[in-house]
């Protein structure tokens, strides 16, 4: 922590609180019926995308998941672009064709959230292959949940990345729930990180603590960037909400939800900042207000943006 | 002109395109030193090195997804799936990722991938190494699907496929790999989406794909002795297929037989027949006849009974000539 200056710490906090407040706003507008489809929020898991992406440039690559709002925001997508796409508007970065579950932005190396569990993991390997091939010094990171580690693509990708020595970092966000199934039901091991050993790459399991994640991601990304190959980082967190917004979570013990919601990576981070006098309560509140305004104006922008015209339906299937 | 085998046409196309464009790489199982299970990449690793001829673990889902990411980031992968049956193992990569990435991301990505894969029976390889699954892929928006039938066609269209910025599946037929044919010494390409008239005739149009082009040519010889003149149209590309050229032929012959090796049910013949019935019914003098394999897996020991051949095409042509509306 000593290595960060105040501005950096404030910036990390701003990014994390932005993700949280975007998710809270989305829960509201989704429940109002303003956004069609599904929304999967990442509340309680904001530290990972911010800590990981703070090591990345816009030209670095990222593949992520259906629970991907935090990743896209951390990778630098503008709130207005983000909202326009989630609202299905024509001026979203994917012209309203992707929505929440497939949000992409090639200008920022965002190769797409993926509606298929495990679908993005080999795609990240491909991005890493291109970085290695073109020698452009880029890296690829891939976010996925522990549920995805039951998919063949996870295992095949780790093996491919290992044998081809690809500059890719696999980031497992273990929130202990694979859709409606707890980890104890679908995994015979406690730490996903153990799986790395099977492929001869480093794997580490760490708690949902911004500083630990930042440190481990920094090491892994630097290793990948300098030709040292892939690695796996597992961040063990807890899922605050249901699989999707509107999920009544009848499969889940209320105590489990309470426990999850009492562990807050942002509150923990802020406590550290208060304790070390990096920020005052008033300053933190000021940031919240500023972020809130930014989000409200992004939502207004999206609401006022045009929907795609039905005449665009058949456009550009092929080049 | 020079004589070349079908498999050699594939290799020449890949080699020339790799020489022309450094972004083109080959990805697949055994494509390196072993040269691919049918020899399509023999010698390429020696010429281009392991960075461009990438041997992978046996992991179709993994390397197909990897090809998707590589293409989205500026490479032009040519992926070999050793037998078309193994496409089942990487359907997510092909159908959910590669086929959709351009459209669903608002045309922000280009997806220049070629997947080449041998289909078909004839090697007694059994039900998991002999299928013709092209209709599955022709059913998916975003994929282009080609089924070249000659050494000339395969080389020319393979080159176009590699240069195309869209995903293209090149469906070969194992029984054609050893087929010899003439190709020009100089470079040439065959555009995607254009059908080829393999034989002209005035009595019946036979739209035939891949190996069935050759069976239809044999059938046409047999029928010609009876003064029945068959026109054979090879779509070459089955998605998007060349409706105009097929329609022009039917406008001349007024009778249509569609022949493919895949099972008849829900095959590409069903699509071609349905489009003709919907849009060109007035030109037809008789109900359309389809020739295809029966609706069973390809049996190891009964392969010859299973595979459609020239006799089936002859029977199909006779049938379409029997009836008149």
């Amino acid at each position: 922590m000593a290595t960060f200056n105040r501005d950096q710490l404030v910036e990390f906090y701003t990014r994390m609180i932005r993700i949280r407040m975007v998710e809270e706003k989305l829960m509201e507008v989704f429940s109002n019926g303003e956004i069609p489809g599904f929304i999967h929020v990442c509340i309680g898991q904001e530290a990972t995308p911010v800590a990981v992406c703070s090591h990345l440039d816009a030209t670095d690559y990222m593949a992520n998941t259906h629970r991907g709002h935090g990743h896209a925001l951390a990778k630098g997508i503008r709130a207005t672009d983000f909202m326009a796409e989630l609202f299905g508007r024509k001026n979203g970065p994917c012209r309203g064709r992707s929505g929440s579950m497939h949000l992409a932005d090639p200008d920022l190396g965002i190769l797409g959230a993926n509606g298929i569990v495990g679908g993005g993991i080999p795609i990240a390997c491909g991005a890493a292959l291109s970085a290695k091939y073109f020698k452009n010094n880029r890296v690829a990171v891939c976010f996925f949940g522990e549920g995805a580690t039951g998919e063949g693509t996870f295992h095949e990708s780790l093996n491919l990345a290992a044998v081809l020595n690809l500059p890719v970092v696999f980031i497992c966000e273990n929130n202990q729930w694979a859709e409606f199934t707890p980890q104890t039901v679908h995994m015979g091991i406690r730490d996903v990180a153990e799986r790395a050993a099977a492929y001869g790459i480093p794997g580490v399991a760490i708690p949902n603590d911004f500083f630990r994640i930042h440190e481990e991601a920094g090491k892994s990304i630097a290793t990948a960037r300098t030709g040292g190959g892939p690695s796996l980082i597992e961040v063990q967190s807890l899922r605050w909400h249901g699989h999707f917004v509107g999920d009544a979570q009848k499969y889940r013990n209320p105590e489990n939800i309470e426990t999850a919601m009492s562990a807050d990576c942002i509150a923990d981070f802020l406590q550290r900042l208060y304790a070390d006098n990096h920020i005052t309560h008033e300053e933190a509140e000021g940031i919240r207000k500023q972020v809130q305004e930014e989000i409200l104006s992004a939502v207004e922008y999206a609401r006022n943006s045009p929907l795609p015209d039905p005449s665009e339906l058949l456009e550009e299937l092929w080049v | 002109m020079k004589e070349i085998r079908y498999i050699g046409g594939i290799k020449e196309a890949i080699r020339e395109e790799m020489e022309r464009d450094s972004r083109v790489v080959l990805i697949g199982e055994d494509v390196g030193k072993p040269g691919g299970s049918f020899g399509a990449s023999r010698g390429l690793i020696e010429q281009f090195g392991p960075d461009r001829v990438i041997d992978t673990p046996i992991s179709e889902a993994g390397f197909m997804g990897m090809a998707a990411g590589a293409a989205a980031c500026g490479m032009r992968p040519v992926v070999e799936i050793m037998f078309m049956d193994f496409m089942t193992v990487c359907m997510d990569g092909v159908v959910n990722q590669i086929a959709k990435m351009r459209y669903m991301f608002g045309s922000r990505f280009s997806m220049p991938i070629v997947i080449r894969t041998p289909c078909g029976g004839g090697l007694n390889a059994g039900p998991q190494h002999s299928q013709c699954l092209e209709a599955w892929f022709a059913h998916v928006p975003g994929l282009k699907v080609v089924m070249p039938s000659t050494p000339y066609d395969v080389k020319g269209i393979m080159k176009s496929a590699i240069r195309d910025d869209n995903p293209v599946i090149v469906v070969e037929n194992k029984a054609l790999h050893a087929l010899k044919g003439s190709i020009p010494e100089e470079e040439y390409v065959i555009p995607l989406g254009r059908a080829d008239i393999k034989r002209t005739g005035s009595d019946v149009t036979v739209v035939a794909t891949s190996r069935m082009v050759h069976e239809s040519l044999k059938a046409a010889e047999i029928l010609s002795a009876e003064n029945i003149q068959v026109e054979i149209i090879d779509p070459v590309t089955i998605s998007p297929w060349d409706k105009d050229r097929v329609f022009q032929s039917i406008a001349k012959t007024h009778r249509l037989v569609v022949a493919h090796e895949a099972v008849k049910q829900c095959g590409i013949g069903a699509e071609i027949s349905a489009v003709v019935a919907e849009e060109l019914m007035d030109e037809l003098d008789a109900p359309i006849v389809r020739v295809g394999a029966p609706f069973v897996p390809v049996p190891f020991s009964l392969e010859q009974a299973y595979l459609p051949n020239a006799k089936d095409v002859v029977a199909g042509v006779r049938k379409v000539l029997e009836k008149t509306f």
Side-chain angles (χ1 to χ4, degrees):
Chain A
M1 184 161 170
T3 58
F4 299 114
N5 62 40
R6 180 191 179 278
D7 287 352
Q8 286 173 306
L9 293 165
V10 167
E11 182 59 29
F12 295 146
Y13 171 67
T14 307
R15 290 181 189 188
M16 283 194 278
I17 201 70
R18 181 183 291 124
I19 294 170
R20 169 132 339 151
M21 291 171 77
V22 161
E23 296 289 52
E24 286 168 349
K25 188 70 191 167
L26 284 172
M27 289 174 81
E28 182 194 316
V29 297
F30 178 78
S31 303
N32 288 343
E34 287 191 76
I35 296 178
F38 300 114
I39 293 282
H40 308 78
V41 296
C42 67
I43 292 176
Q45 301 173 230
E46 297 88 344
T48 305
V50 173
V52 171
C53 292
S54 69
H55 296 286
L56 301 178
D57 297 324
T59 48
D60 287 320
Y61 298 113
M62 178 185 87
N64 61 317
T65 71
H66 60 281
R67 197 177 302 288
H69 303 157
H71 312 131
L73 290 162
K75 191 71 173 66
I77 198 168
R78 279 200 308 245
T80 45
D81 288 350
F82 172 89
M83 282 295 176
E85 189 59 47
L86 264 69
F87 274 71
R89 307 300 159 132
K90 188 176 176 164
N91 50 341
C94 302
R95 295 171 59 188
R97 286 176 180 175
S98 77
S100 162
M101 269 200 283
H102 313 95
L103 181 65
D105 191 341
D107 292 344
L108 295 164
I110 302 173
L111 301 170
N114 217 299
I116 306 296
V117 171
I121 310 175
I123 292 176
C125 290
L129 180 75
S130 80
K132 188 183 166 203
Y133 185 74
F134 293 125
K135 299 183 172 65
N136 56 19
N137 204 35
R138 298 178 189 182
V139 294
V141 298
C142 184
F143 294 99
F144 50 88
E146 82 285 1
T149 71
E151 292 277 4
T153 47
F154 165 79
H155 298 275
E156 295 183 23
S157 296
L158 265 66
N159 191 39
L160 270 168
V163 297
L164 297 174
N165 195 41
L166 300 178
V168 56
V169 180
F170 302 103
I171 315 273
C172 177
E173 297 174 293
N174 182 351
N175 65 18
Q176 301 201 359
W177 288 92
E179 301 197 3
F180 316 126
T181 303
Q183 183 188 325
T184 47
V185 173
H186 71 84
M187 267 172 53
I189 52 173
R190 199 195 65 180
D191 296 343
V192 167
E194 287 178 39
R195 299 204 195 274
Y199 305 102
I201 67 171
V204 61
I206 54 175
N208 189 20
D209 171 77
F210 178 87
F211 297 101
R212 282 300 306 283
I213 305 166
H214 189 278
E215 183 190 346
E216 288 299 336
K219 282 194 282 189
S220 285
I221 290 168
T223 301
R225 213 184 283 284
T226 50
S231 50
L232 170 68
I233 298 171
E234 173 191 10
V235 179
Q236 295 177 333
S237 66
L238 299 165
R239 195 177 82 195
W240 281 29
H241 293 284
H243 171 51
F244 52 86
V245 175
D247 173 5
Q249 299 194 83
K250 286 187 178 150
Y251 50 87
R252 199 171 173 189
N253 184 328
E255 276 172 32
N256 182 290
I257 299 174
E258 246 174 70
T259 310
M261 294 177 78
S262 66
D264 183 349
C265 58
I266 300 182
D268 291 350
F269 181 84
L270 203 50
Q271 281 310 318
R272 297 272 297 271
L273 265 55
Y274 290 148
D276 293 353
N277 294 316
H278 284 296
I279 191 171
T280 65
H281 285 75
E282 291 71 33
E283 283 169 329
E285 191 47 35
I287 292 168
R288 278 186 72 94
K289 282 203 174 122
Q290 187 195 325
V291 169
Q292 190 173 27
E293 277 169 30
E294 179 195 317
I295 293 167
L296 287 175
S297 98
V299 168
E300 273 314 295
Y301 171 81
R303 282 179 179 144
N304 296 323
S305 294
L307 284 161
D309 193 274
S311 65
E312 294 170 34
L313 180 67
L314 303 182
E315 270 178 18
E316 295 177 332
L317 175 65
W318 286 313
V319 179
Chain B
M1 299 294 274
K2 60 179 177 182
E3 183 135 292
I4 193 168
R5 289 191 192 275
Y6 188 98
I7 196 80
I10 297 167
K11 189 166 76 180
E12 279 203 7
I14 296 173
R15 195 184 61 230
E16 287 175 19
E17 292 308 300
M18 287 181 81
E19 281 167 349
R20 204 180 67 87
D21 186 343
S22 66
R23 297 169 301 174
V24 178
V25 299
L26 191 56
I27 297 174
E29 295 152 4
D30 293 337
V31 297
K33 272 269 159 57
S37 53
F38 295 101
S41 51
R42 207 164 286 155
L44 295 180
I45 196 166
E46 286 78 7
Q47 184 177 350
F48 298 103
D51 287 343
R52 295 189 68 193
V53 182
I54 302 168
D55 259 331
T56 64
I58 300 175
S59 54
E60 285 84 359
F63 68 74
M64 188 61 76
M66 183 172 78
C73 298
M75 298 175 85
R76 303 183 75 86
V78 177
V79 183
E80 176 176 312
I81 296 293
M82 208 181 269
F83 286 81
M84 191 171 203
D85 315 73
F86 308 167
M87 292 292 283
T88 55
V89 184
C90 51
M91 284 301 262
D92 175 59
V94 179
V95 174
N96 289 318
Q97 316 296 342
I98 289 168
K100 294 180 175 62
M101 280 174 79
R102 173 180 173 77
Y103 184 87
M104 81 177 168
F105 296 149
S107 313
R108 301 285 306 283
F109 288 99
S110 153
M111 294 299 290
I113 300 182
V114 172
I115 301 163
R116 48 164 295 264
T117 189
C119 75
L123 301 185
N124 291 95
Q128 296 174 346
H129 286 70
S130 309
Q131 295 167 91
C132 296
L133 302 175
E134 66 274 7
W136 292 10
F137 301 99
H139 192 63
V140 178
L143 303 174
K144 293 184 178 180
V145 185
V146 305
M147 296 189 81
S149 64
T150 66
Y152 176 86
D153 289 353
V154 77
K155 185 182 174 191
I157 205 147
M158 187 77 178
K159 285 169 73 80
S160 291
I162 294 172
R163 292 180 195 185
D164 200 282
D165 283 336
N166 303 289
V168 183
I169 301 187
V170 179
V171 184
E172 303 153 16
N173 189 306
K174 295 187 282 293
L176 298 178
H177 276 161
L179 184 76
K180 281 184 186 166
S182 292
I183 63 165
E185 298 278 355
E186 65 274 16
E187 179 175 72
Y188 69 99
V189 293
I190 293 175
L192 294 159
R194 201 172 74 190
D196 186 40
I197 303 170
K198 288 288 194 276
R199 179 188 173 111
T200 54
S202 50
D203 298 325
V204 176
T205 297
V206 174
V207 175
T209 60
S210 194
R211 185 182 63 82
M212 289 309 287
V213 169
H214 304 281
E215 295 300 316
S216 300
L217 286 165
K218 284 185 224 161
E221 282 300 308
I222 295 164
L223 291 159
S224 171
E226 300 169 29
N227 219 11
I228 298 167
Q229 300 310 325
V230 174
E231 176 144 301
I232 298 171
I233 307 289
D234 177 355
V236 189
T237 303
I238 64 160
S239 183
W241 60 279
D242 187 349
K243 209 167 79 174
D244 292 346
R245 192 158 276 197
V246 170
F247 279 20
Q248 278 161 20
S249 177
I250 295 167
K252 183 168 72 170
T253 64
H254 310 291
R255 290 174 198 270
L256 174 65
V257 172
V258 189
H260 55 60
E261 182 178 321
V263 296
K264 198 162 90 173
Q265 179 168 317
C266 294
I268 184 68
E271 175 64 20
I272 293 170
S273 303
V275 171
V276 171
E278 272 180 348
E279 300 181 27
L280 208 68
M281 196 67 176
D282 291 349
E283 288 286 353
L284 291 175
D285 285 347
I288 300 162
V289 170
R290 284 183 290 152
V291 174
F295 196 56
V296 290
V298 188
F300 167 61
S301 57
L302 290 172
E303 199 179 58
Q304 286 313 310
Y306 168 91
L307 288 173
N309 58 24
K311 252 171 60 185
D312 299 308
V313 178
V314 168
V317 170
R318 292 199 202 288
K319 195 175 169 194
V320 85
L321 284 167
E322 258 168 34
K323 268 198 192 166
T324 300
F325 286 129

